[in-house]
Amino acid sequence: MTNNKKVLTWLDEMTKMCQPDKIVWIDGSESQLDELRKESVATGEMIELNQEKLPGCYLHRTAENDVARVEGRTFICTSKEEDAGPTNNWMAPKDAYEKLSKLYEGCMKGRTMYVIPFIMGVKGSPFAKVGIELTDSIYVVLNMNIMTRMGKDALEEIGEDGDFTKCLHAKKDVNPEDRYIVQFPEDNTIWSINSAYGGNVLLGKKCFALRIASYLGKQQGWMAEHMLILGLTNPQGEKHYIAAAFPSACGKTNLAMLIPPEALKGYKVETVGDDIAWLKIGEDGRLWAMNPEAGFFGVAPGTSSKTNYNALATTRKNTIFTNVALTDDGEVWWEGMDGDAPAHAIDWLGKEWTPASGTKAAHPNSRFTAPAAQCPCISPDFENKAGVPISAIVFGGRRAKTAPLVYQARDWEHGVFVGATMASETTAAAAGAVGVVRRDPMAMIPFCGYNMGDYFAHWLEMGKKIPNPPKIFHVNWFRLDDNGKFMWPGFGDNLRVLNWIVDRCDGKADAVETEIGYLPKVSDINVDGLDLDEATLKELLSVDKEVWKSELAGMKEFFAKFGDRLPEGIKHQLNLLEENLNK
Ligand code: O2Y
Ligand code: MN
């Protein structure tokens, strides 16, 4: 398949260590993929779904102990511990290679090793980067086919002498005690072992496109961010692109695929990406973004035609479902889907299930892997090699009281501070206490491949190099009233806030300056057709100084972790906020 010596030497080393019976190069052809689908159905690795109702769709169940990303077993292995920073688990590269080599030794005996060359980004784009994943899982091959551009094209992109990210995955015996997801940023290498679940094994996604890419971006002057990208067109036909970072479970996929409410019928939202953005400074002095992925790896429970019509529509063909329930007529079901629960199904554990079982039919983190091109609102620029120019960067979190519905940072440095102080409160859906504030700068806590102090510095440096930077905003869809009810309707109505954001970018909307940044006045948010009284909107757009003073204490405590790696720009903004609140 290739004469690239770097590829062949590495493959030889990995083969000697893992000792597979057979090596199969993935060329990306439909005929090869079809053979693999048939083989995986024959072995029980995949279940073929009702091909009339869900053509090209399959179901996969993972082990009960292997149902989510495992942050506790995810490591950043840099030569110096301080280069991984206080928010990452660290192992010395030598120790990690030694420890994991022992686990990999002979682990593919009796198995096939699949060699998957893949591109993150569109072939030939200046954003594109290439990786090769070695895996013993057909589930991984078929998912990588949806999530990346894989096969011959990727090898062509590497060429005779090009570099690539070296990704090794072995499911071994899915033993959680020996499960490791390890990034070696200095070696452009990822090793994953003892998992067969999505985020831990589809190494192009979080491991490469965020952890390794964030490190590469710092070296090379670009950014890899945990951001959706959407295009918003107003009734006059003016289009803006927005990139937005929210922690997990804050509705990134829903916002990326938003359907305008009745009152804003003339507006259109198109999806460029729902999870990851790579950002570069364009020759025109603006910041340009590209989605490096080719598919969506979305959470199934709660996805319905009401909450996210476009996501559901995307999954009606050529989709792999992981850990959802199987209905008697070979379809899929999960909690929160349209209609009534089926009278009988097979649950995510492969057991008989009825609504009386008292258990969830689908795992709460069950997923679909679906081709982005099938999304009804996919942007015509999804495959644009140049990417899209970003007008606004939006940060957000789930905050009951602290953050107003929306505010704008005063400038880039302040915007970086707004991103760096992002936080979200835990919900009843997650394990552990409810309402606990988790600091998650730029939604990158689990995904930054190096010291986050240096990451903040990189953001600040980028700002100095972008002649025409995007404006930066913060949103909070989750403010609660005194009865614990959401004050803002959310979903499609979030467009009303996006509208103010793009109007601010164009200098068309008004704002008032507050201690924390610029806020809209009540009259600046279009609430036509909404059942929302003025007092509620006023409350949504208010800043409670006392609440913010205790917030400030939490920020200081978090930033103290970074010691002398915390850049001056962040310290300066922290002091400014304190001064403003004490005025
Ligand atoms: O649990 C996993 O492996 C998936 S996590 C995930 C999947 C798609 C997009 N984002 C995320 C995330 O945790 O941010
Ligand atoms: Mn994500």
Side-chain angles (χ1 to χ4, degrees):
M1 287 277 285
T2 180
N3 294 320
N4 184 311
K5 286 216 173 63
K6 293 180 214 166
V7 173
L8 297 175
T9 309
W10 171 68
L11 179 60
D12 195 44
E13 261 176 55
M14 298 301 105
T15 306
K16 282 193 177 118
M17 180 167 73
C18 299
Q19 300 165 35
D21 280 15
K22 208 167 113 187
I23 296 176
V24 172
W25 284 82
I26 299 299
D27 59 19
S29 66
E30 242 340 279
S31 56
Q32 187 185 44
L33 289 165
D34 227 38
E35 283 308 308
L36 290 172
R37 287 183 195 114
K38 283 192 187 116
E39 189 182 333
S40 69
V41 170
T43 60
E45 188 176 353
M46 299 282 220
I47 295 166
E48 190 178 55
L49 293 167
N50 183 328
Q51 294 299 296
E52 264 170 39
K53 295 197 168 144
L54 295 169
C57 292
Y58 295 82
L59 167 65
H60 174 75
R61 297 189 191 112
T62 62
E64 197 172 348
N65 69 40
D66 190 24
V67 292
R69 286 189 295 104
V70 280
E71 289 178 20
R73 310 214 53 102
T74 300
F75 289 80
I76 300 294
C77 298
T78 42
S79 313
K80 292 192 206 135
E81 183 168 2
E82 58 270 31
D83 289 343
T87 59
N88 283 313
N89 300 315
W90 175 83
M91 254 193 282
K94 185 172 159 292
D95 296 346
Y97 281 127
E98 220 171 273
K99 191 182 187 96
L100 269 74
S101 294
K102 285 189 192 130
L103 296 175
Y104 281 114
E105 196 65 42
C107 71
M108 292 191 193
K109 274 185 192 156
R111 298 182 186 183
T112 300
M113 178 192 270
Y114 300 95
V115 184
I116 314 171
F118 64 95
I119 310 175
M120 298 312 292
V122 180
K123 189 181 181 207
S125 153
F127 286 93
K129 297 249 171 258
V130 193
I132 300 182
E133 177 162 352
L134 310 179
T135 180
D136 54 356
S137 158
I138 296 183
Y139 167 75
V140 169
V141 177
L142 298 177
N143 273 281
M144 287 292 281
N145 175 51
I146 296 172
M147 295 303 295
T148 73
R149 282 105 180 157
M150 70 171 204
K152 275 190 187 144
D153 279 356
L155 281 183
E156 275 170 30
E157 189 87 353
I158 304 178
E160 294 277 306
D161 194 38
D163 274 321
F164 60 99
T165 301
K166 303 183 272 292
C167 310
L168 173 65
H169 163 249
K171 54 187 174 190
K172 199 168 159 101
D173 41 22
V174 289
N175 174 3
E177 306 296 319
D178 277 332
R179 183 168 298 154
Y180 288 97
I181 319 298
V182 179
Q183 282 73 201
F184 301 92
E186 293 156 1
D187 301 339
N188 203 1
T189 294
I190 302 160
W191 280 13
S192 159
I193 190 157
N194 270 312
S195 174
Y197 178 80
N200 299 328
V201 300
L202 308 180
L203 300 184
K205 191 171 177 63
K206 303 295 189 180
C207 301
F208 178 177
L210 286 177
R211 298 196 189 99
I212 293 289
S214 61
Y215 177 88
L216 293 175
K218 162 98 173 136
Q219 315 287 311
Q220 300 167 0
W222 55 281
M223 300 155 95
E225 297 299 331
H226 191 197
M227 288 178 177
L228 66 90
I229 310 165
L230 64 82
L232 169 56
T233 310
N234 67 16
Q236 294 74 49
E238 295 157 346
K239 195 166 193 170
H240 290 87
Y241 290 95
I242 297 175
F246 305 135
S248 307
C250 287
K252 258 191 8 256
T253 303
N254 290 350
L255 188 68
M257 299 178 190
L258 181 152
I259 295 178
E262 206 49 44
L264 298 179
K265 262 273 178 279
Y267 289 80
K268 188 163 70 180
V269 169
E270 290 165 321
T271 312
V272 180
D274 79 327
D275 195 41
I276 297 176
W278 285 358
L279 301 136
K280 276 189 176 183
I281 305 168
E283 278 166 19
D284 63 355
R286 292 186 290 176
L287 191 62
W288 289 68
M290 185 220 50
N291 170 14
E293 300 190 279
F296 306 130
F297 185 51
V299 72
T303 304
S304 70
S305 58
K306 277 211 187 90
T307 59
N308 195 335
Y309 168 86
N310 288 315
L312 192 65
T314 309
T315 66
R316 299 298 86 187
K317 57 182 181 185
N318 307 320
T319 294
I320 297 173
F321 296 93
T322 303
N323 294 340
V324 300
L326 175 65
T327 66
D328 291 348
D329 60 355
E331 292 191 79
V332 286
W333 190 79
W334 49 76
E335 280 73 17
M337 207 183 194
D338 300 359
D340 295 333
H344 174 265
I346 304 296
D347 72 8
W348 69 276
L349 290 162
K351 295 193 183 126
E352 304 286 329
W353 181 92
T354 72
S357 296
T359 54
K360 301 260 189 228
H363 187 276
N365 194 34
S366 55
R367 299 266 163 182
F368 54 79
T369 321
Q374 291 179 184
C375 181
C377 61
I378 197 71
S379 166
D381 286 314
F382 166 60
E383 304 239 272
N384 190 332
K385 289 182 184 169
V388 295
I390 298 297
S391 301
I393 289 177
V394 180
F395 295 118
R398 181 183 284 272
R399 302 306 302 267
K401 295 284 172 210
T402 323
L405 179 62
V406 59
Y407 65 100
Q408 182 187 353
R410 289 181 296 269
D411 52 31
W412 182 271
E413 185 184 270
H414 181 221
V416 175
F417 176 76
V418 169
T421 52
M422 250 173 77
S424 220
E425 283 148 23
T426 50
T427 66
V434 175
V436 174
V437 177
R438 187 185 185 215
R439 299 249 147 236
D440 191 355
M442 284 84 170
M444 282 289 279
I445 275 274
F447 308 121
C448 184
Y450 59 101
N451 189 313
M452 266 211 145
D454 298 348
Y455 169 80
F456 300 147
H458 180 47
W459 264 85
L460 293 167
E461 278 311 303
M462 285 292 294
K464 290 179 195 154
K465 293 181 196 148
I466 312 170
N468 188 6
K471 305 270 188 287
I472 302 183
F473 298 81
H474 186 282
V475 297
N476 175 24
W477 317 131
F478 302 99
R479 198 134 159 178
L480 300 180
D481 66 15
D482 292 339
N483 299 316
K485 286 233 157 63
F486 288 119
M487 297 168 78
W488 180 249
F491 296 101
D493 289 307
N494 293 336
L495 181 58
R496 299 168 191 273
V497 174
L498 298 185
N499 228 354
W500 180 76
I501 287 175
V502 295
D503 281 352
R504 285 293 294 168
C505 294
D506 286 349
K508 288 188 201 157
D510 210 352
V512 280
E513 188 164 6
T514 72
E515 297 80 0
I516 64 166
Y518 298 108
L519 261 80
K521 289 185 281 167
V522 167
S523 55
D524 296 326
I525 300 286
N526 177 349
V527 289
D528 288 355
L530 257 195
D531 182 19
L532 188 83
D533 58 53
E534 195 175 320
T536 307
L537 188 55
K538 220 172 180 170
E539 176 67 20
L540 278 163
L541 298 176
S542 65
V543 178
D544 183 329
K545 274 201 195 185
E546 292 315 307
V547 173
W548 274 86
K549 280 180 191 169
S550 64
E551 182 72 4
L552 188 73
M555 293 174 183
K556 282 184 183 170
E557 192 188 335
F558 177 72
F559 285 141
K561 290 185 189 181
F562 298 95
D564 62 6
R565 304 287 269 250
L566 190 71
E568 284 306 318
I570 298 290
K571 290 183 204 161
H572 174 236
Q573 289 295 329
L574 195 63
N575 290 337
L576 260 183
L577 178 62
E578 185 156 28
E579 273 171 30
N580 287 347
L581 292 172
N582 288 328
K583 252 181 210 160

